[in-house]
DNA sequence: CGGGTTTGACCTGCGC
DNA sequence: GCGCAGGTCAAACCCG
């Protein structure tokens, strides 16, 4: 299962990494570990993160991205929860059964007992170098929680989109390895337009900024070319329900004010048949 | 006063 | 079964 998912990831350092050889000191590998696990378990993601963090503790402190002689400022990973029969998936059904309602926890339990299928949310994550934790992405977010993260001095903050009936969430935390890096994880897709009062930012791929288009019929690998001296790519993972993405740059230098503009390098999709 | 943030409590899943 | 850690809730608080 792991390998099956993992091959969808491509290291921005222009070499394909296997999970075994990952150096967690490399933020990208960190994200790979993290979000590949999350493919299988939305809720388990937290623990995956923990594992990644723990792993990085024990690994050598090799500078991030040193292998390409470039200094990317961010690393992105994209995943969607997949259709699956794995255990963790079942386990997390309870929590996300509340789709479409603000039902109580009791209600959730009841729903779970009914065996309703959980709606799995797409996830999208990336790291950005930024002084500010909460990046301006055009949407309004309401903070609903904050938790200390094990092995990290930096807390993780939880945000929900304030738009009615929009269930998109995002988690923001600072990398404990490189405090200048902010890890942002989006969960779910906005099904509404950007608030009209907010100027459309340039930070995110368009699929994050508009009502979601239908998912492609087959897997894609998303490559994003970095302008200038970035030789190769980064990448978002592909998955069955990967959405079409365009104008998408995972390597972003975030200004201190957190508002990104004029940062939309070309991106393209490489379509490849996916073999199981 | 409305909306957002803070924060402690609670729930849940996982590993041992 | 227990403890731990992540995720969420919601009351209290803050601010414009």
């Amino acid at each position: 299962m792991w390998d099956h998912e993992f091959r969808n990831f491509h290291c921005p350092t222009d070499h394909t990494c296997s999970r075994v050889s990952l150096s967690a000191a490399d933020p990208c590998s960190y994200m790979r570990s993290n979000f590949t696990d999350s493919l299988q378990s939305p809720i388990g993601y937290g623990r995956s993160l923990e594992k990644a963090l723990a792993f990085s503790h024990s690994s050598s402190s090799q500078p991030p991205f040193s292998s390409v002689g470039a200094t990317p400022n961010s690393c992105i990973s994209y995943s969607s929860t997949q259709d699956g029969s794995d255990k963790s998936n079942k386990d997390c059904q309870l929590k996300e059964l509340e789709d479409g309602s603000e039902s109580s926890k009791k209600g959730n339990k009841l729903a779970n007992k009914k065996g309703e299928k959980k709606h799995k949310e797409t996830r999208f994550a990336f790291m950005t170098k930024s002084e500010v934790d909460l990046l301006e992405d055009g949407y309004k977010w309401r903070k609903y929680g904050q938790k200390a993260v094990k092995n990290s001095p930096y807390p993780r903050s939880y945000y929900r989109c304030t738009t009615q009936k929009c269930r998109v969430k995002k988690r923001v935390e600072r990398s404990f390895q490189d405090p200048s890096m902010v890890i942002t994880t989006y969960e779910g897709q906005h099904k509404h337009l950007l608030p009209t009062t907010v100027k459309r930012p340039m930070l995110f791929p368009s699929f994050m900024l508009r009502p979601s288009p239908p998912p492609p019929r087959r897997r894609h690998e998303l490559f994003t070319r970095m302008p200038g001296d970035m030789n190769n790519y980064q990448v978002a993972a592909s998955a069955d329900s990967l959405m079409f993405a365009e104008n998408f740059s995972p390597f972003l230098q975030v200004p201190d004010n957190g508002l990104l503009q004029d940062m939309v390098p070309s991106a393209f999709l490489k379509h490849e048949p996916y073999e199981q």
Side-chain angles (χ1 to χ4, degrees):
Chain A
M1 186 66 83
W2 231 103
D3 294 338
H4 154 73
E5 291 304 333
F6 188 72
R7 59 178 161 175
N8 291 313
F9 287 84
H10 297 265
C11 184
T13 57
D14 198 24
H15 61 271
T16 301
C17 303
S18 71
R19 192 188 193 205
V20 182
S21 63
L22 293 179
S23 162
D26 168 3
C28 193
S29 67
Y30 159 84
M31 297 299 279
R32 278 191 302 272
S33 296
N34 196 354
F35 295 99
T36 303
D37 272 352
S38 74
L39 281 168
Q40 297 165 42
S41 172
I43 284 187
Y45 156 65
R47 297 198 188 282
S48 302
L49 171 60
E50 177 195 335
K51 286 172 188 170
L53 291 169
F55 176 51
S56 10
H57 261 315
S58 63
S59 64
S60 63
S61 55
Q62 159 191 355
F65 303 100
S66 59
S67 62
V68 282
T71 311
N73 293 310
S74 68
C75 179
I76 195 164
S77 179
Y78 176 93
S79 74
S80 67
T81 52
Q82 65 171 21
D83 188 32
S85 54
D86 54 289
K87 175 172 164 286
S88 56
N89 192 35
K90 276 182 253 166
D91 288 342
C92 65
Q93 288 185 4
L94 176 66
K95 277 214 170 180
E96 299 191 8
L97 266 171
E98 65 218 287
D99 264 2
S101 72
E102 292 298 325
S103 59
S104 66
K105 288 174 182 177
K106 283 182 183 177
N108 290 341
K109 280 182 181 175
L110 287 174
N112 191 40
K113 282 179 182 175
K114 283 181 182 177
E116 289 175 20
K117 195 148 191 177
K118 181 192 63 175
H119 181 262
K120 286 159 253 172
E121 298 291 351
T122 298
R123 284 194 173 166
F124 175 90
F126 56 89
M127 295 176 83
T128 45
K129 197 178 188 79
S130 173
E131 296 292 318
V132 294
D133 288 347
L134 188 58
L135 307 178
E136 176 60 63
D137 59 5
Y139 289 98
K140 278 194 74 179
W141 301 92
R142 179 189 177 117
K143 189 175 185 175
Y144 67 90
Q146 178 171 306
K147 286 285 288 187
V149 180
K150 192 188 175 192
N151 293 329
S152 172
Y154 307 101
R156 175 182 301 150
S157 298
Y158 300 88
Y159 297 88
R160 250 197 287 263
C161 181
T162 59
T163 303
Q164 268 196 336
K165 294 184 179 178
C166 180
R167 304 185 60 77
V168 177
K169 297 173 189 172
K170 87 173 174 183
R171 273 168 285 192
V172 177
E173 65 186 283
R174 202 162 274 281
S175 167
F176 82 102
Q177 286 202 325
D178 182 356
S180 65
M181 300 295 280
V182 176
I183 302 166
T184 305
T185 305
Y186 286 86
E187 184 172 321
Q189 302 166 229
H190 292 285
K191 292 178 170 53
H192 56 89
L193 299 173
L194 276 167
T196 54
T197 54
V198 182
K199 180 180 176 181
R200 176 182 162 143
M202 306 296 277
L203 174 59
F204 302 100
S206 56
F207 68 75
M208 293 299 294
L209 303 173
R210 63 166 190 255
S212 311
R217 288 283 179 254
R218 62 177 182 176
R219 290 171 184 255
H220 295 83
E221 286 181 351
L222 174 62
F223 290 79
T224 305
R225 190 179 292 278
M226 185 64 186
D229 61 354
M230 278 300 298
N231 286 335
N232 254 309
Y233 317 96
Q234 167 34 14
V235 182
S238 64
D240 285 330
S241 59
L242 176 62
M243 295 174 290
F244 181 82
E246 59 186 10
N247 297 333
F248 173 35
S249 171
F251 294 114
L252 300 169
Q253 176 75 45
V254 181
D256 285 353
N257 65 7
L259 179 60
L260 288 177
Q261 295 181 354
D262 306 325
M263 289 179 158
V264 187
S266 61
F268 58 91
L269 283 171
K270 176 183 176 185
H271 296 258
E272 285 185 349
Y274 183 82
E275 296 175 17
Q276 286 284 13

